């Protein structure tokens, strides 16, 4: 019998929260939302001209051409991805591990749709191993399935890695040769580290990550998805954008996705549209906050990574995002002595011990028996808005008393598991 979470909490109803910045709302963007609070006219399904034009400029400044007519907006990445998957049809292929909300989206589609996890290469998460992808597609077809869509997360949640461009290219070549749609979730692209903040498992410095979008390699064949909530706008303001290829199949996919969004009534609230369009225009306050937040989280990720290795656990060096993906299998004996034998029990134990959500690897598609968790950095920035802003503006945030205390508590919690 499949286990459920304690208290009958289903995986769909109570999925883990996305990694948050843990910082107060930027005053400039709050002012834009407040000024638009009286807007009463609803946005059309897929977004009006303002947000789509702003998204076009946002991507163009990042080297990716996107016509406003090829862009779709929705109230958050989950509803937008749901519409894209419904429009594409067929089975969905996911890297293992993958963002916690992807597989539940496939299950909610019904109609015999299935999600198939494919192992990732040793050096990164977010993309499947190219050869494993090829074999999985052929096996699914041989068993009567219809693989149609591949989801990628190049700056990745949960692993916080950035897949090397050559691996991304190989994966896309395989997927496109097999006739798959490719959707690249690039929510975390603006959090990619500008400097190295961690070490490899053998103590050597990790290389600076290089991010290249699959859509830059295959602009006429790859869909790009970006969730603004939590990266450019606060997590409580749902907004996401998708860039579809300016081709016949891209237009057909967009039209079907718009039908789904319209049927669901999934539109971005008008005041949030104003804030999102402002953020997408890359004004100086938004850019400065995003860069400062990314640098802060990179510093804290590096400190957490060192604590993880010191405790005898494993983790790929973080290169993006606001979290780490940690493998505690080397501490299995010590965990078993505490009654922790799988990732669900590990989630419960660390969540209670640290007083903050620590989702287990089973949430992300890893086997229940694998002792893996995702650790977020936001809780380490401080317990109050004042402490978090102090962390953001400090020259040496790791030396702040509240940050140092929280890092010490995390290190102690990990060390006592051994």
């Amino acid at each position: 019998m499949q286990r459920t979470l304690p208290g009958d909490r289903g995986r769909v109803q109570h999925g883990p929260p996305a990694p948050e910045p843990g910082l107060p709302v930027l005053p400039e963007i709050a002012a834009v939302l407040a000024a638009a609070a009286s807007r009463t006219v609803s946005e059309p399904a897929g977004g009006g001209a303002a947000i789509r034009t702003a998204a076009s400029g946002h991507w163009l400044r990042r080297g990716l051409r996107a016509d406003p007519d090829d862009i779709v907006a929705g109230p958050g990445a989950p509803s937008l991805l749901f519409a894209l998957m419904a429009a594409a049809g067929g089975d969905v292929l996911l890297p293992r591990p993958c963002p916690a909300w992807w597989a539940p989206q496939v299950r909610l589609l019904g109609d015999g749709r299935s999600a198939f996890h494919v192992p990732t290469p040793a050096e990164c998460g977010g993309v499947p191993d190219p050869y494993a992808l090829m074999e999985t597609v052929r096996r699914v077809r041989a068993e009567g399935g219809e693989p149609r869509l591949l989801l990628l997360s190049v700056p990745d949640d949960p692993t916080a890695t950035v897949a090397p461009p050559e691996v991304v290219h190989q994966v896309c070549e395989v997927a496109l040769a097999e006739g798959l749609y490719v959707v690249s979730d690039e929510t975390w692209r603006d959090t990619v580290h500008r400097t190295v903040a961690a070490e490899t498992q053998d103590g050597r410095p990790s290389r600076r990550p290089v991010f290249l979008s699959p859509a830059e390699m295959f602009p006429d064949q790859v869909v790009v998805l970006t969730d603004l909530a939590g990266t450019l706008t606060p997590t409580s303001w749902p907004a996401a954008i998708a860039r579809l290829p300016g081709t016949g199949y891209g237009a057909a996919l967009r039209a079907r996705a718009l039908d789904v969004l319209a049927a669901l009534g999934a539109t971005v609230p008008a005041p949030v549209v104003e804030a999102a369009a402002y953020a997408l225009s890359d004004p100086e306050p938004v850019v400065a906050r995003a860069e400062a937040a990314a640098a802060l989280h990179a510093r804290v990720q590096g400190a957490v990574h060192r604590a993880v290795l010191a405790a005898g656990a494993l983790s790929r060096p973080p290169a993006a995002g606001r979290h780490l993906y940690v493998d505690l299998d080397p501490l299995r004996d010590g965990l078993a002595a505490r009654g922790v034998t799988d990732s669900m029990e590990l989630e419960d134990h660390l969540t209670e011990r640290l007083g903050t959500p620590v989702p287990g690897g089973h949430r992300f598609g890893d086997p229940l028996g694998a002792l893996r968790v995702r650790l977020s950095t936001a809780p380490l920035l401080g317990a109050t808005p004042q402490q978090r802003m102090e962390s953001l503006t400090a020259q040496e945030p790791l030396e702040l008393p509240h940050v140092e205390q929280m890092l010490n508590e995390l290190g102690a919690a990990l060390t006592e598991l051994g």
Side-chain angles (χ1 to χ4, degrees), residues 28-38 237 269-276:
E28 289 84 353
I29 201 169
V32 173
L33 183 78
S38 61
W237 303 0
V272 176
V273 164
E274 297 287 343

Side-chain angles (χ1 to χ4, degrees), residues 153-358:
S153 178
V154 180
D156 183 43
D157 173 20
T159 65
T161 60
V162 177
E166 61 272 19
V167 176
V168 176
H169 193 275
Q170 293 170 4
V171 168
C172 289
E173 279 191 322
V174 170
L176 297 174
E178 295 291 345
L180 305 178
Y181 292 107
V182 176
V183 175
S184 175
D185 184 344
E186 298 178 7
T187 295
W188 302 105
R189 70 171 294 162
D190 286 347
T191 69
V192 173
H193 296 181
R194 298 188 174 205
T195 57
V196 173
E199 299 177 345
T200 58
Q201 297 294 164
D202 59 6
R204 294 178 299 175
S206 59
R207 66 176 186 175
R208 179 176 175 177
V210 176
F211 168 71
L212 189 62
S213 170
E216 294 179 67
M217 303 174 185
F218 303 95
D220 294 333
Q221 297 162 293
V222 174
V223 176
V224 175
L225 174 69
T226 297
D227 198 342
L228 307 185
T231 53
L232 295 178
T233 60
T235 53
S236 57
W237 303 0
I241 50 175
R243 176 260 188 203
L244 285 80
T247 60
Y249 102 83
L253 186 64
R254 181 177 186 272
R256 294 195 296 271
L258 289 177
D259 285 343
V260 176
L261 292 171
L264 295 174
T267 60
V268 185
V272 176
V273 164
E274 297 287 343
Y278 170 74
L280 286 167
S281 68
D282 294 316
E284 192 279 332
V286 172
V287 172
R289 166 62 73 86
E291 290 179 351
L296 171 61
H297 282 282
R299 296 284 296 278
V300 178
Q301 281 176 305
V304 174
H305 187 256
R306 291 189 290 273
V308 166
L309 298 186
L314 304 174
S315 175
R316 293 184 179 105
R322 300 163 182 149
H323 51 277
L324 284 86
Y325 200 57
V326 179
D327 186 351
L328 293 162
D329 189 78
L331 310 180
R332 182 175 290 274
D333 291 343
L335 285 165
R338 291 170 171 79
V340 176
T341 60
D342 62 30
S343 63
M344 191 177 296
E345 294 168 345
L346 181 59
E347 173 183 300
D348 291 341
H349 176 80
L350 287 178
T351 295
E352 181 178 1
R353 174 67 175 80
L354 298 173
T356 188
V358 183

Side-chain angles (χ1 to χ4, degrees), residues 92-121:
V92 181
L93 295 156
L94 317 170
R96 183 194 297 275
C98 70
W101 53 278
W102 283 4
Q105 291 272 328
V106 180
R107 290 197 295 270
L108 288 174
L109 283 169
D111 296 330
R113 304 279 188 93
S114 296
F116 296 93
H117 288 276
V118 187
T120 55

